[in-house]
Amino acid sequence: MGLLMQIRPKPLAAWALAACLLPSAAAGSPSSNVAWTVETHRLVQRADSKIGAKLETIETEETYACTACHGPAGATPDRDRYPTLAGQVAAYTYKQLRDYKDGKHENRRMQAAVERLTDEQLAALSAWYASQPLPVVDVNEEDEISPATVRLIYRGDKKRLIQPCASCHGRWGQGAIIDVPAIAGQNVPYFVDTMRDYASGKRANDVYSRMRIIAAALTREEIEELAVYYARLGNKISSGGLKQANAE
Ligand code: HEC
Ligand code: HEC
């Protein structure tokens, strides 16, 4: 992290260079094998969430059930570093599950969990989580968010070539079409961890390095504040407080 921060992107040239270098750092292979063809879209759109609801409880000799770690319906946010899955964009979840299965996003526990599942089953799980309401997550009410961090979310930072988070993740952090995840309502320790993994390149399954470049340009404090901001935003949405959120 320290090293990455010293090489703050200067003008466009530095950004373009980083964009070229990062994907090839992963042994010259693409960051994901998922291609958003008509077939892939259909697979995700037509998936049966009821099948997903059954699949998440199945335990085998090799692996625990999804619910053992993520909670029923992917909504147990209190376990450190385990992402919440409820309310997530289906296409994003599908891409992540495929990336774990293909070894594009290395994680021993997740690889073991999805190894045995077909693409249809991964799509069914994604549809199931997408159909669930956002969970309420634990967040320290005393943590303050600086105005500079809020600016970063809605206006970005031209000097560091950071696009506003909201321009991709949406005004409410609700995610967007294809593979942009909902980040509102994400558990704070996981959010911080995964941003650090993008920054160090340990997580490299983001197509076009969209997140690796941004995460590497952020400070640790900014990442922590962003995580708290989005956790609170999710809690406002899940408690029906969208209007209050809008006023801020
Ligand atoms: C032994 C615990 C464990 C089990 C069992 C498990 N997971 Fe996970 N899951 C994790 C952890 C830890 C992560 C975060 C890994 C990382 O940082 O990449 C994760 C990440 C994920 C993600 C990525 C979320 C995101 O926001 O990017 C999805 C989707 C997911 N799991 C779904 C599932 C499904 C579906 C199953 C069952 C088939 C399952 N998990 C089983 C622990 C588990
Ligand atoms: C250019 C579009 C874009 C911008 C701008 C952007 N993101 Fe992302 N973000 C993405 C995409 C696409 C992914 C999913 C990448 C993947 O497949 O791993 C993602 C993933 C993430 C994740 C991981 C979610 C999870 O469940 O694992 C977090 C956290 C995140 N972004 C936070 C942010 C924050 C905070 C900002 C602003 C500082 C931001 N993003 C700006 C496109 C963007």
Side-chain angles (χ1 to χ4, degrees):
M1 189 76 184
L3 183 73
L4 284 164
M5 307 227 355
Q6 284 158 26
I7 40 168
R8 284 274 165 80
K10 274 204 295 232
L12 254 177
W15 183 90
L17 185 68
C20 298
L21 288 178
L22 282 167
S24 60
S29 62
S31 24
S32 174
N33 289 347
V34 178
W36 290 104
T37 59
V38 174
E39 288 74 27
T40 316
H41 281 293
R42 284 212 184 110
L43 182 70
V44 174
Q45 276 165 12
R46 295 183 183 167
D48 187 346
S49 63
K50 289 195 285 301
I51 295 176
K54 290 205 182 91
L55 283 170
E56 75 160 358
T57 62
I58 297 172
E59 188 186 318
T60 68
E61 268 178 30
E62 291 83 39
T63 177
Y64 295 106
C66 318
T67 47
C69 292
H70 294 284
T76 300
D78 301 336
R79 296 193 61 176
D80 254 19
R81 295 177 172 76
Y82 287 39
T84 63
L85 313 173
Q88 186 54 276
V89 175
Y92 170 79
T93 301
Y94 176 76
K95 176 186 175 289
Q96 297 309 306
L97 294 173
R98 275 285 311 273
D99 287 349
Y100 286 121
K101 191 176 159 186
D102 297 345
K104 292 292 177 183
H105 185 175
E106 282 180 37
N107 183 275
R108 199 173 34 80
R109 285 176 294 184
M110 276 308 300
Q111 264 159 301
V114 294
E115 225 165 32
R116 72 202 146 95
L117 300 173
T118 64
D119 289 357
E120 285 71 20
Q121 290 173 320
L122 299 182
L125 282 159
S126 308
W128 164 241
Y129 294 123
S131 72
Q132 297 302 301
L134 274 190
V136 174
V137 299
D138 263 358
V139 59
N140 188 345
E141 287 311 324
E142 274 153 34
D143 287 344
E144 284 181 28
I145 314 287
S146 68
T149 296
V150 179
R151 265 201 308 279
L152 203 54
I153 295 172
Y154 297 102
R155 296 206 208 127
D157 179 355
K158 285 211 176 83
K159 279 199 199 114
R160 288 184 283 168
L161 293 165
I162 300 174
Q163 250 179 275
C165 318
S167 70
C168 290
H169 291 280
R171 174 77 180 81
W172 309 112
Q174 76 276 29
I177 48 162
I178 317 196
D179 61 348
V180 184
I183 50 175
Q186 191 46 273
N187 131 23
V188 174
Y190 168 77
F191 186 118
V192 170
D193 257 25
T194 212
M195 288 291 273
R196 290 200 191 130
D197 286 349
Y198 279 133
S200 70
K202 187 177 166 219
R203 175 171 176 178
N205 66 324
D206 54 324
V207 178
Y208 309 131
S209 312
R210 278 171 291 184
M211 284 310 301
R212 273 171 284 171
I213 291 168
I214 291 173
L218 298 171
T219 66
R220 195 192 169 107
E221 289 70 31
E222 283 172 330
I223 290 176
E224 281 165 4
E225 289 192 5
L226 287 162
V228 170
Y229 182 90
Y230 277 109
R232 285 190 187 142
L233 187 57
N235 287 351
K236 276 185 190 148
I237 295 168
S238 52
S239 63
L242 259 185
K243 276 194 189 139
Q244 282 139 275
N246 201 13
E248 280 171 19

